[in-house]
Amino acid sequence: TGLVAGAFTVSSFYHVFGMQQFKPVARLALLTSLCVMLFVPVPLLMHLGHPERSMYSMITPHLTSAFAMFGFFAAFYMVLLVLECWFVFRADNVERARNSSGLTRHFYRAVTLWSDDLSPNARALDAKLLLLLAIVGIPSAHGLHGYIGFVYGSLKARLWWESDLMPIIFLFSAIVSGVALLMVLYVIASKLRRVPIDHACLKGMTYALWGFLMFTLILEGLEFANLVYKGKEGVDTIIEYVEGPLFFRYFVLQFGFGALLPILAMGLLIALNIKGRAFVIGATICALLVLMNVLMMRWNVVIGGQEIAKTGKGLLTYHLPLWGHEGLLAAILVTLAPFALLVLLTRLFPPWADPPGRT
């Protein structure tokens, strides 16, 4: 859900706010958001003992249940995302249907719902509906991930999770992760397609990542200070956890290499006005470090909250299994699955804009 919200944010920069520098990556951002969103329920379903019963939470919902309402919010956003992708690619799919034959032609005609109207009025209507969907999608996408933070922050049984800042932190880290992912995907796709990387587009995403990351770092620092302060007020286990198992994961990986280092590096890239190949390499490395930061943030929240005993006395140890439906191998497969789908969809519906400018 974090990648969904972040990717949609980049798409909105162009489709809603008209920032032309994001045009080369706007449609790729939409496809990325759709592919990842399709796999959002998979980890939850794998966790359930009877995943076939999951639909009961929506057929016969308990309206006071946070998880039941999350199903409705996620379904609403999924429909909205599919519609937006349909309008973005409709004209291109009509052209592909006209210029192809056989099964390919029937496929694209079915995708366009057998509509071949490319008149100025039809295109204008597409643009209006696309703008409306994108505007509605902004609060929907961000609310979707803020909702995850709401679930964690409302769990009073876990001292590590109970924080009013949790929804905001999840929201901004979602934007950060999505922007960083798109930077990496855009660079990789451009290299594989052997086309020049649009310097203005990559620089715009670097600016966005830099700004959002600084704000996210402040929020995470405030939340951490609040947790430590509560620990000094009587919950000694939190101090024991911070000084022990959490030190390397939190201070070194998440804050040091994942936040402070890319903030400084991106600041130098921008301040020194570095261009060309050096800028591309530097921005890509920073984006990878930020993705590592977000991963460690999720690990330290989800796993960290369960390593502190509910009694507040003592720590537990988590051993990551290799096999099983919640093991490392399953997690890697679930993580790679949306990108495999993205490769397929980019072949069927190429999201590339006009030939990019020179770096």
Side-chain angles (χ1 to χ4, degrees), residues 90-117:
R90 191 190 73 86
D92 290 347
N93 290 333
V94 170
E95 291 289 353
R96 293 187 187 100
R98 290 177 176 178
N99 298 327
S100 58
S101 60
L103 290 177
T104 304
R105 182 172 184 273
H106 289 297
F107 170 76
Y108 285 112
R109 279 186 56 79
V111 168
T112 59
L113 301 180
W114 294 274
S115 171
D116 59 355
D117 188 359

Side-chain angles (χ1 to χ4, degrees), residues 152 158 160-161 241 246 249 295-308 316-320:
Y152 280 105
R158 296 286 184 183
W160 196 249
W161 293 342
Y241 185 55
L246 188 68
R249 299 199 317 248
L295 175 63
M296 292 311 303
M297 178 266 184
R298 299 296 191 274
W299 181 281
N300 292 331
V301 169
V302 178
I303 303 300
Q306 298 175 81
E307 287 182 322
I308 300 176
L316 306 175
T317 302
Y318 173 69
H319 299 285
L320 178 63

Side-chain angles (χ1 to χ4, degrees), residues 38-79:
L38 289 171
F39 286 89
V40 163
V42 173
L44 293 174
L45 295 176
M46 292 176 66
H47 178 72
L48 296 177
H50 286 277
E52 72 278 2
R53 300 179 183 175
S54 60
M55 289 302 297
Y56 286 109
S57 64
M58 299 183 68
I59 298 173
T60 57
H62 198 301
L63 298 181
T64 59
S65 167
F67 277 101
M69 299 310 297
F70 174 76
F72 288 103
F73 295 152
F76 170 78
Y77 180 66
M78 175 66 75
V79 173

Side-chain angles (χ1 to χ4, degrees), residues 59-332:
I59 298 173
T60 57
H62 198 301
L63 298 181
T64 59
S65 167
F67 277 101
M69 299 310 297
F70 174 76
F72 288 103
F73 295 152
F76 170 78
Y77 180 66
M78 175 66 75
V79 173
L80 185 145
L81 196 54
V82 170
L83 288 174
E84 185 169 354
C85 288
W86 189 85
F87 281 108
V88 165
F89 290 97
R90 191 190 73 86
D92 290 347
N93 290 333
V94 170
E95 291 289 353
R96 293 187 187 100
R98 290 177 176 178
N99 298 327
S100 58
S101 60
L103 290 177
T104 304
R105 182 172 184 273
H106 289 297
F107 170 76
Y108 285 112
R109 279 186 56 79
V111 168
T112 59
L113 301 180
W114 294 274
S115 171
D116 59 355
D117 188 359
L118 293 180
S119 65
N121 289 336
R123 288 179 177 268
L125 181 60
D126 287 348
K128 290 180 181 179
L129 292 175
L130 178 60
L131 178 62
L132 177 61
L133 290 170
I135 292 174
V136 175
I138 293 175
S140 301
H142 296 88
L144 181 68
H145 199 62
Y147 196 83
I148 307 298
F150 167 81
V151 171
Y152 280 105
S154 61
L155 294 176
K156 298 179 181 179
R158 296 286 184 183
L159 297 173
W160 196 249
W161 293 342
E162 185 191 3
S163 171
D164 294 334
L165 287 174
M166 192 68 76
I168 306 174
I169 291 173
F170 265 77
L171 172 58
F172 276 90
S173 66
I175 297 174
V176 163
S177 66
V179 176
L181 174 67
L182 277 174
M183 289 173 63
V184 175
L185 290 179
Y186 176 63
V187 170
I188 292 175
S190 298
K191 294 299 181 181
L192 291 177
R193 295 171 57 233
R194 298 181 180 179
V195 298
I197 295 173
D198 191 306
H199 182 79
C201 177
L202 187 60
K203 189 173 183 179
M205 288 191 286
T206 303
Y207 267 108
L209 181 61
W210 189 45
F212 282 120
L213 182 58
M214 285 190 289
F215 196 73
T216 304
L217 181 62
I218 293 172
L219 289 173
E220 291 179 355
L222 287 173
E223 187 210 22
F224 179 76
N226 181 256
L227 286 170
V228 172
Y229 183 78
K230 287 192 296 184
K232 290 182 177 180
E233 289 296 310
V235 188
D236 296 332
T237 310
I238 290 182
I239 304 300
E240 179 186 353
Y241 185 55
V242 169
E243 295 176 349
L246 188 68
F247 182 84
F248 180 76
R249 299 199 317 248
Y250 193 83
F251 292 103
V252 178
L253 292 181
Q254 182 179 333
F255 265 78
F257 288 98
L260 293 177
L261 181 59
I263 285 175
L264 293 175
M266 286 186 287
L268 288 175
L269 290 175
I270 294 171
L272 299 178
N273 196 27
I274 296 176
K275 298 180 180 179
R277 182 181 178 85
F279 178 81
V280 172
I281 294 174
T284 305
I285 293 175
C286 289
L288 291 171
L289 288 174
V290 171
L291 287 173
M292 186 269 292
N293 163 269
V294 177
L295 175 63
M296 292 311 303
M297 178 266 184
R298 299 296 191 274
W299 181 281
N300 292 331
V301 169
V302 178
I303 303 300
Q306 298 175 81
E307 287 182 322
I308 300 176
K310 284 187 177 181
T311 60
K313 297 179 180 179
L315 300 175
L316 306 175
T317 302
Y318 173 69
H319 299 285
L320 178 63
L322 177 61
W323 308 104
H325 65 287
E326 291 184 358
L328 177 61
L329 182 60
I332 292 175

